[in-house]
């Protein structure tokens, strides 16, 4: 049986687990009462792909060169690359433990496609193109999975759509496959480390949050789906209980999320604002809502452009750096700082400060690799989403420009840790960070950590 099992719940929200629904989640509640638990400050940006890799490597997004799902591939204006596993150049938890002689089983952890060699088995994550791809190590495991499941899901297809009942059905299918496959790997391979990520929690937040939360600006009172998220959390709790019943009492358990979730309170049209402020220019101004990718941008007159998403990404058009750069390098820092100040003074519809927080990568990361945004923008602590569309009448929207979306991420996830050799007493831990997980686990098992990690040791 494993020495350590890590159950990742993507986007699991601490306020729901620790407070609102704790009495309805007996297995998680029991782990809290005999272990240690608390909120977990995510990385910046608090997004799935960088966050899980930060947690498992102890490195920040700048060190990894991963700033979101899609990253600038070069200094041109339109070429973006999906941040798959090939972006990760540093060892992660299962690599370090594998080198120390542990047999590992890794399932669905973001950042694992294409699969790499491990001392054990690995099944890649939701960025896997399809089941025709080589998504396992060893490769023979792929045929076993295709034999076990008629329709193996890496993710919920098109979870940003109006077909809520189909989405809900696929979310349950995905979770049942994930937990049953985790149990299968435990039985067949008997790993020392079992780690996996369940994506359904994130997907159900995005699809159905407005049906349960009166705070949501588009709240649907008395919706037939009002209890869907609550029911799903109870379902996941039951799945966790069944999985842990396969483990011996000596197994340490970590339940963890990469970030939290919250109602999507609105969207701010970042590129439209840049256009109105004179930073972004067009050869022909769009007169209807249009993606920036479909516009004729006049790069010779553009100083700044942005990208939509969970957070705002700001890119400066620098002379000698971008193909048609307009900002002299000597003016770069002045323009960047002035722009950051303007962004932080953006107001909402009522004229009150929206609550914008701007980060410079060089100030928040230990190192900056790849092509980072020049500025990272959080809108009301991620309660508002950055919208990239231009040609709109208003800077403010209640909708996501990439499809129906009820929730955005929040900067704090959660953890619950139970160590049978050092059981806790339900202690609530303050001030834990996503970077603390790797060094703390390695210290727990007396394994030397890589140098210059940014996390601290937690006294669990």
């Amino acid at each position: 049986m494993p020495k350590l099992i890590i159950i990742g719940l993507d986007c699991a929200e601490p306020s729901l687990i620790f407070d609102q629904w704790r009495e309805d989640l007996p297995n998680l509640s029991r782990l809290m009462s005999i272990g240690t638990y608390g909120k977990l400050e995510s990385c910046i940006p608090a997004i799935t792909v960088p966050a899980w890799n930060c947690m498992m490597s102890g490195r920040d997004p700048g060190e990894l060169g991963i700033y979101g799902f899609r990253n600038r591939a070069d200094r041109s204006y339109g070429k973006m690359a999906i941040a798959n596993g090939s972006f990760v150049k540093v060892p992660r938890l299962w690599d370090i433990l594998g080198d120390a002689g542990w047999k590992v089983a890794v399932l669905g952890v973001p950042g694992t496609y294409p699969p790499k060699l491990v001392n054990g088995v690995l099944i890649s994550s939701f960025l896997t193109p399809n089941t025709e791809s080589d998504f396992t190590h060893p490769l023979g495991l792929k045929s076993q999975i295709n034999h076990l499941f008629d329709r193996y899901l890496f993710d919920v297809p098109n979870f940003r759509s109006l077909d809520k009942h189909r989405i809900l059905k696929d979310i349950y299918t995905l979770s049942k496959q994930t937990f049953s496959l985790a149990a299968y790997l435990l039985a067949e391979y008997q790993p020392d480390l079992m780690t996996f990520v369940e994506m359904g929690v994130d997907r159900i937040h995005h699809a159905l949050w407005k049906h349960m939360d009166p705070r949501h600006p588009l709240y649907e009172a008395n919706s037939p789906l009002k209890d869907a998220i609550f029911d799903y959390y109870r379902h996941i709790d039951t799945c966790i209980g069944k999985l842990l019943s396969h483990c011996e009492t000596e197994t340490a358990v970590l339940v963890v999320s990469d970030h939290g979730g919250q109602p999507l309170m609105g969207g701010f049209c970042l590129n439209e604002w840049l256009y109105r402020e004179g930073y972004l220019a067009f050869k022909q101004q769009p007169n209807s809502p249009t993606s920036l990718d479909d516009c004729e941008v006049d790069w010779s007159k553009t100083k700044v452009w942005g990208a939509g998403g969970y957070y705002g990404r700001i890119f400066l058009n620098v002379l000698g750096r971008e193909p048609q750069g307009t900002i002299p390098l000597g003016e770069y820092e002045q323009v960047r700082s002035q722009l950051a100040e303007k962004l932080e003074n953006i107001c909402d519809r009522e004229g009150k400060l929206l609550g914008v927080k701007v980060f410079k990568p060089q100030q928040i990361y230990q190192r900056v690799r790849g092509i980072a945004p020049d500025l990272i923008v959080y809108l009301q602590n991620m309660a508002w989403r950055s919208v990239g569309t231009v040609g709109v009448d208003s800077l403010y929207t209640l909708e996501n420009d990439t499809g129906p979306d009820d929730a955005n991420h929040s900067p704090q996830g959660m953890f619950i840790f139970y160590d049978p050799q050092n059981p806790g007493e339900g202690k609530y831990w303050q001030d834990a960070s996503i970077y603390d997980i790797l060094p703390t686990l390695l210290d727990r098992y007396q394994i030397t950590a890589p140098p210059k990690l940014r996390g601290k040791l937690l006294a669990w």
Side-chain angles (χ1 to χ4, degrees), residues 323-336:
Q324 299 181 58
T326 58
I327 300 173
L329 187 59
E331 299 176 13
Y332 170 81
E333 192 54 50
Q334 179 184 0
V335 173
R336 184 166 71 152

Side-chain angles (χ1 to χ4, degrees), residues 217-430:
L218 299 176
Y219 173 59
E220 295 189 10
N222 301 316
S223 166
L225 295 169
K226 67 181 186 303
D227 293 324
I229 296 180
F230 170 64
D231 291 340
Y232 190 69
Y233 269 73
R234 291 197 301 170
H235 164 72
I236 291 298
D237 182 81
T238 299
C239 291
I240 290 173
K242 290 180 179 178
L243 182 67
L244 295 182
S245 71
H246 294 281
C247 301
E248 299 289 346
T249 55
E250 291 81 10
T251 300
V253 181
L254 172 64
V255 182
V256 65
S257 68
D258 55 332
H259 53 74
Q262 61 183 322
L264 180 61
M265 304 305 289
F268 183 78
C269 298
L270 186 61
N271 278 322
E272 181 69 23
W273 180 84
L274 289 169
Y275 165 70
R276 296 184 187 186
E277 293 291 319
Y279 289 102
L280 177 60
F282 298 102
K283 294 179 181 178
Q284 183 174 352
Q285 181 184 347
N287 54 19
S288 62
T290 308
S291 168
L292 191 67
D293 293 336
D294 298 326
C295 293
E296 288 190 77
V297 177
D298 189 343
W299 295 110
S300 68
K301 297 179 180 178
T302 290
K303 293 183 177 180
V304 181
W305 79 102
Y310 300 107
Y311 75 103
R313 284 190 258 192
I314 294 288
F315 302 104
L316 272 61
N317 195 20
V318 179
L319 186 66
R321 193 183 76 170
E322 274 73 23
Q324 299 181 58
T326 58
I327 300 173
L329 187 59
E331 299 176 13
Y332 170 81
E333 192 54 50
Q334 179 184 0
V335 173
R336 184 166 71 152
S337 295
Q338 289 176 344
L339 179 57
E341 184 178 355
K342 279 189 176 183
L343 287 163
E344 291 186 338
N345 282 288
I346 287 174
C347 293
D348 62 16
R349 295 180 183 88
E350 283 73 43
K352 300 177 182 178
L353 285 176
L354 180 59
V356 178
K357 178 71 173 176
V358 181
F359 305 94
K360 295 179 180 179
Q362 293 77 11
Q363 294 178 353
I364 61 173
Y365 301 140
Q366 294 191 143
R367 181 184 175 193
V368 178
R369 293 183 58 249
I371 303 177
D374 293 291
L375 293 172
I376 291 170
V377 183
Y378 272 17
L379 301 164
Q380 206 175 91
N381 215 24
M382 301 187 80
W384 283 56
R385 185 179 174 91
S386 172
V387 175
T389 303
V390 294
V392 294
D393 295 330
S394 172
L395 293 175
Y396 312 98
T397 176
L398 294 179
E399 303 285 352
N400 182 356
D401 57 345
T402 60
D405 201 340
D406 288 7
N408 213 32
H409 297 171
S410 64
Q412 290 183 317
M414 50 73 65
F415 77 89
I416 306 169
F417 183 65
Y418 167 64
D419 183 352
Q421 295 188 25
N422 186 25
E425 299 176 351
K427 178 181 178 181
Y428 184 86
W429 188 270
Q430 303 278 359

Side-chain angles (χ1 to χ4, degrees), residues 179-249:
F179 278 94
S180 62
L181 190 51
Y184 174 80
L185 295 178
L186 285 176
E188 292 294 314
Y189 292 92
Q190 299 179 355
D192 299 302
L193 166 71
M194 173 79 220
T195 180
F196 68 94
V197 171
E198 200 282 321
M199 291 298 301
V201 178
D202 179 270
R203 299 333 189 195
I204 203 168
H205 287 173
H206 286 293
L208 297 171
W209 194 291
K210 73 181 180 185
H211 297 266
M212 77 160 184
D213 192 343
R215 298 175 299 167
H216 199 289
L218 299 176
Y219 173 59
E220 295 189 10
N222 301 316
S223 166
L225 295 169
K226 67 181 186 303
D227 293 324
I229 296 180
F230 170 64
D231 291 340
Y232 190 69
Y233 269 73
R234 291 197 301 170
H235 164 72
I236 291 298
D237 182 81
T238 299
C239 291
I240 290 173
K242 290 180 179 178
L243 182 67
L244 295 182
S245 71
H246 294 281
C247 301
E248 299 289 346
T249 55

Side-chain angles (χ1 to χ4, degrees), residues 6-8 50-59 64 90-96 109-110 193 195-197 254 256 434-435 437-438 441-442:
I6 301 176
I7 301 171
W52 285 112
N53 286 296
C54 291
M55 184 191 302
M56 293 297 168
S57 70
R59 307 291 182 179
L64 296 172
V90 295
R92 287 169 284 188
L93 176 64
W94 51 85
D95 301 310
I96 300 168
V109 180
L193 166 71
T195 180
F196 68 94
V197 171
L254 172 64
V256 65
I434 203 168
Y435 302 110
I437 298 295
L438 180 77
L441 291 177
L442 295 180

